[in-house]
């Protein structure tokens, strides 16, 4: 085991025995093996795609398999044994697809032919061949760091792609580009410029994927509307739905309707309360709890059933609620019941058997639903406010949250922003400050919740539109970035921002461990990335540049 893929890896270092997330060395090794095989799958799929051929089953399996390896998603070793066997089958299917169109299958990289076996002893022996530090002595930390930047960017992009796929949205060109970049990575490349170029290519791909997911969500659930979301519970039986998957949330609402159960969102599903198709379910009563890192406290206090639809899962056994939490989709924990095919009857039965909340808590609501359609609907008002000086600065503050004390930076930055500024926020980083009373400008809340982390697409569209209307480049806007980095989805979003040429991004609270000083130097030189520091100094620098 050697894991540096997220900020919590042994509190900022690398995990070699067990992850701070609770991931065991055996599970980490299985994930590495799975991904090495998936690179081989993509080698064949890429060569087939270049000749216009594809296998839909291979394309469907690919983002799902990658998603299971993200931080705090799947900890179930038995599931990875099955996934590895299926990856071997998918590699043969991709190979057959390539052979059917007479693709050139010469000079294949190692992942296309490597066979780790399927028995436990074989997989243990194979793990060193899939480890990310395998070529550290040969290639050096900077090359390995750039390859990891690509690897983790691909993971984040795959997760967003899977979210869209389960809602019925996928595109052959997106699958083909994903396979192409994977095939490149499968050759263990060592050219610095080529590696950086492919990292930015992931940013371009992720922008398309976020656009696809945005379309999937808005086509199915309508465009988010400004909504005052209740943040406190009411009396009655209860189900708590966490993660990102609004399709699972909709299925739970459909299957529990009329059964006297109140449904609450948690974490990154808070924005779901603003989608009109979901709002029509009267038993979707609001949000419970905060960001993912507080879930052990939140879940232990929740008197109902809990469903995890995607990341981020934390060990449920420590606080003793493992008998009432269910996993779905790519999520897994050894011993927890797993929901298949969106059939949530077990979770609903569990909720009916539990006491639920005995009484209403004092009502507390916060606004949500400021996605691109809402903001662009009042674009003229926003532009007038900027032109007249009512709004002098825009701040994009958000991203992944986490448990580090340094993450108070994002709360303190939001609170310190001038009263003549608007704050665009997304991801679970919003929970640092979204309950603060930061006031309004001309009746518009200063904090505009744009949605989930993938709704960075909305923020980008708003920024581009405002810049276009004002006749300037996005980098010339009084728009400042305080981005909270934690895991691989954040890596994909960061690469998208870099692909678009956005500069002066304050990133923190710590930088990814896989970014060596040399790699960081490349990003600083090209994009002026700035590690977060003292809030007052950073804010002064932002405002001075406006």
């Amino acid at each position: 085991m050697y894991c540096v893929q997220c900020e919590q890896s042994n509190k900022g270092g690398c995990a070699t025995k067990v992850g701070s997330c609770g991931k065991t060395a055996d599970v980490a090794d299985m994930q590495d093996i799975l991904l090495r095989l998936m690179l081989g799958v993509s080698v064949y799929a890429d060569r087939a795609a270049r000749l216009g051929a594809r296998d839909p089953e291979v394309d469907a399996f690919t983002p799902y398999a990658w998603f299971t390896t993200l931080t705090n998603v799947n900890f179930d070793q038995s599931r990875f044994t099955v996934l590895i066997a299926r990856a071997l089958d998918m590699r043969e299917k991709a190979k057959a697809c390539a052979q059917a169109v007479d693709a050139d299958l010469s000079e294949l990289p190692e992942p296309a032919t490597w066979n780790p076996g399927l028995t436990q002893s074989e997989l243990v022996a194979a793990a060193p061949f899939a480890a990310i530090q395998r070529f550290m002595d040969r290639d050096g930390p900077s090359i390995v760091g750039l390859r990891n930047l690509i690897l983790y960017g691909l993971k984040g992009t795959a997760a967003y792609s899977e979210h869209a796929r389960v809602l019925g949205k996928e595109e052959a060109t997106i699958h083909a580009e994903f396979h192409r970049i994977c095939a490149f990575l499968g050759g263990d490349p060592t050219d610095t410029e080529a590696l950086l170029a492919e990292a930015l290519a992931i940013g371009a791909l992720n922008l398309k994927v976020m656009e696809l997911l945005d379309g999937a969500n808005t086509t199915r659930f309508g465009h988010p509307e400004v909504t005052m979301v209740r943040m406190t519970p009411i009396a009655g039986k209860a189900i708590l739905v966490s993660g990102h998957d609004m399709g699972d949330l909709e299925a739970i609402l459909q299957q529990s309707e009329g059964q006297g159960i109140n449904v609450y969102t948690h974490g990154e599903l808070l924005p779901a309360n603003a989608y009109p198709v979901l709002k029509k379910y009267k038993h979707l009563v609001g949000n419970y709890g905060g960001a993912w890192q507080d879930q052990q406290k939140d879940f232990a206090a929740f008197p109902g059933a809990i469903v995890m639809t995607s990341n981020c899962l934390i060990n449920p056994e420590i606080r003793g609620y493992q008998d009432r939490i269910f996993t779905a989709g790519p999520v897994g924990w050894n011993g927890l019941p797993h929901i298949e095919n969106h059939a949530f009857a077990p979770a609903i039965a569990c909720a009916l058997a539990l006491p639920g909340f005995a009484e209403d808590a004092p009502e507390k609501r916060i606004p949500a639903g400021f996605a691109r359609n809402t903001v662009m609907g009042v674009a003229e008002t926003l532009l007038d406010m900027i032109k007249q000086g009512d709004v002098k600065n825009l701040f994009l503050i958000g991203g992944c949250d986490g448990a580090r004390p340094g993450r108070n930076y994002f709360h303190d930055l939001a609170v310190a922003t001038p009263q003549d500024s608007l704050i665009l926020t997304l991801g679970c980083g919003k929970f640092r400050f979204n309950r603060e009373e930061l006031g309004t400008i001309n009746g518009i809340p200063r904090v505009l919740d744009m949605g989930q982390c993938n709704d960075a697409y909305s923020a980008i569209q708003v920024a581009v539109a405002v810049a276009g209307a004002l006749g300037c480049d996005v980098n010339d806007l009084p728009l400042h970035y305080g981005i909270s980095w934690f895991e691989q989805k954040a890596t994909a979003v960061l690469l998208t921002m870099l692909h678009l040429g956005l500069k002066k991004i304050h990133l923190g609270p710590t930088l990814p461990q896989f970014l060596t000083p040399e790699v960081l130097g490349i990003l600083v030189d090209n994009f002026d990335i700035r590690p977060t520091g003292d809030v007052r100094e950073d804010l002064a620098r932002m405002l001075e540049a406006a």
Side-chain angles (χ1 to χ4, degrees), residues 396 460 463-464 473-475 479 481 494 496-505 526-529:
L396 176 58
I460 289 167
V464 169
D473 184 84
V474 172
N475 285 314
L479 174 59
Y481 309 96
L494 175 63
T496 293
M497 297 175 76
L498 300 185
H499 155 72
L500 292 170
L502 303 183
K503 297 185 177 182
K504 301 178 182 178
I505 299 169
N526 285 276
F527 305 103
D528 199 9
I529 285 183

Side-chain angles (χ1 to χ4, degrees), residues 70-408:
L70 263 72
T71 300
N72 294 70
V73 173
N74 200 320
F75 302 79
D76 190 341
Q77 185 174 343
S78 64
R79 295 264 296 280
F80 283 104
T81 302
V82 175
L83 285 167
I84 287 170
R86 189 147 183 239
L88 287 167
D89 290 340
M90 290 299 106
R91 193 172 67 180
E92 289 303 308
K93 286 181 69 68
K95 181 179 179 180
C97 183
Q99 289 173 329
V101 290
D102 295 325
D104 180 7
L105 298 185
S106 63
E107 299 183 13
L108 293 169
E110 180 187 82
T113 58
W114 179 57
N115 184 7
L118 287 174
T119 68
Q120 186 60 33
S121 60
E122 288 174 327
L123 292 171
V124 169
F129 293 92
I132 62 171
Q133 82 277 23
R134 174 184 171 192
F135 297 114
M136 189 73 77
D137 291 341
R138 187 192 74 182
D139 299 336
S142 292
I143 293 299
V144 172
L146 279 170
R147 288 204 295 256
N148 287 338
L149 179 62
I150 292 174
L151 180 72
Y152 302 144
L154 285 168
K155 285 192 179 193
T157 300
Y160 291 146
S161 183
E162 177 64 7
H163 285 313
R165 190 191 69 81
V166 297
L167 291 174
K169 295 288 187 179
E170 53 185 325
E171 291 182 4
T173 56
I174 287 176
H175 289 304
E177 178 67 353
F178 190 89
H179 290 310
R180 186 195 67 76
I181 300 172
C182 288
F184 166 82
L185 186 61
D188 301 310
T190 58
D191 181 87
T192 299
E193 291 187 6
L195 286 163
L196 183 59
E198 291 301 334
L200 295 180
I202 293 171
L205 175 62
N206 189 60
L207 180 61
K208 294 178 182 177
V209 171
M210 289 194 299
E211 180 182 14
L212 187 72
L213 178 53
D214 178 86
N217 284 332
T218 55
T219 298
R220 179 127 160 211
F221 307 116
H223 284 281
E225 305 166 339
V226 177
T227 303
M228 295 301 295
V229 181
R230 182 172 179 127
M231 301 294 286
T232 51
I234 62 176
K237 306 283 187 179
I239 292 179
L240 185 62
V241 190
S242 189
H244 301 72
D245 197 305
M246 288 193 285
D248 278 343
L249 175 60
E250 181 185 41
I252 290 169
L253 289 168
Q254 290 171 340
Q255 294 169 35
S256 62
E257 191 169 22
Q259 298 197 47
I261 300 174
N262 294 319
V263 177
Y264 299 82
T265 59
H266 175 268
E268 285 257 40
L269 273 175
L270 164 63
N273 290 275
Y275 283 82
V277 169
L278 298 176
K279 286 171 60 176
K280 74 179 183 180
Y281 293 96
K282 302 304 180 185
H283 60 308
L284 176 61
V285 295
N287 189 80
Y288 178 88
W292 70 271
Q293 74 273 5
D294 297 326
Q295 71 181 252
Q296 289 178 320
K297 170 178 63 71
D298 291 340
F299 290 2
F302 187 78
I306 304 159
V307 178
M308 287 296 306
T309 68
S310 69
N311 51 321
C312 299
L313 175 65
I314 305 177
N315 187 348
E317 299 169 359
I318 292 176
R319 297 294 294 270
Y321 50 83
Q322 68 272 18
D323 59 340
R324 52 189 175 87
I325 183 170
F326 300 79
T327 61
V331 190
W333 186 277
N334 186 41
L336 294 189
H338 186 71
I339 301 295
E340 299 283 359
N341 302 317
H342 309 285
F344 290 98
I348 293 168
C350 179
L352 290 171
L354 291 167
F357 290 99
E359 58 185 9
D360 294 356
E363 185 171 343
K364 170 72 174 177
R365 294 180 182 269
I366 63 171
F370 293 94
R372 61 180 176 85
N373 196 60
T374 299
V375 176
M376 296 312 296
V378 294
E380 289 301 321
T381 301
L382 176 59
L383 289 171
D384 287 343
M385 291 167 63
I386 294 173
K387 291 175 181 177
Q388 294 171 12
D390 295 327
V391 173
K392 290 188 171 65
N393 289 275
L394 300 169
F395 290 84
L396 176 58
I397 305 176
C400 305
D401 203 5
R404 280 178 177 269
R407 290 183 177 275
N408 292 332

Side-chain angles (χ1 to χ4, degrees), residues 492-529:
V493 172
L494 175 63
L495 291 176
T496 293
M497 297 175 76
L498 300 185
H499 155 72
L500 292 170
L502 303 183
K503 297 185 177 182
K504 301 178 182 178
I505 299 169
H506 286 74
L507 184 68
T510 60
L511 294 178
Q513 291 296 308
F514 55 83
L515 291 183
T516 65
E518 292 80 7
V519 174
L520 179 60
I522 293 172
L523 298 180
V524 169
D525 290 344
N526 285 276
F527 305 103
D528 199 9
I529 285 183

Side-chain angles (χ1 to χ4, degrees), residues 415-436:
V415 171
T417 55
Q419 289 299 307
D420 57 5
S421 60
L422 293 177
I423 299 171
L424 312 179
T425 189
L426 42 82
C428 58
K430 69 169 73 80
F431 285 102
R432 288 281 167 176
F433 54 85
N434 66 348
R435 301 190 203 201
E436 296 282 0

Side-chain angles (χ1 to χ4, degrees), residues 6-82:
C6 74
E7 193 207 36
Q8 69 182 353
S9 296
N10 280 7
K11 300 180 180 179
C14 64
T16 57
K17 294 182 180 178
V18 63
S20 297
C21 62
K23 180 173 60 178
T24 66
D26 288 340
V27 168
D29 289 345
M30 298 278 268
Q31 291 179 351
D32 288 345
I33 292 169
L34 175 61
L35 288 183
R36 190 72 173 169
L37 288 173
M38 292 309 300
L39 294 179
V41 171
S42 287
V43 167
Y44 293 113
D46 171 55
R47 298 194 184 193
R50 291 173 187 270
L51 295 173
R54 60 186 286 257
D55 186 308
E57 189 177 1
V58 169
D59 286 347
F61 177 72
T62 296
Y64 175 84
W66 279 78
F67 197 172
T68 63
T69 70
L70 263 72
T71 300
N72 294 70
V73 173
N74 200 320
F75 302 79
D76 190 341
Q77 185 174 343
S78 64
R79 295 264 296 280
F80 283 104
T81 302
V82 175

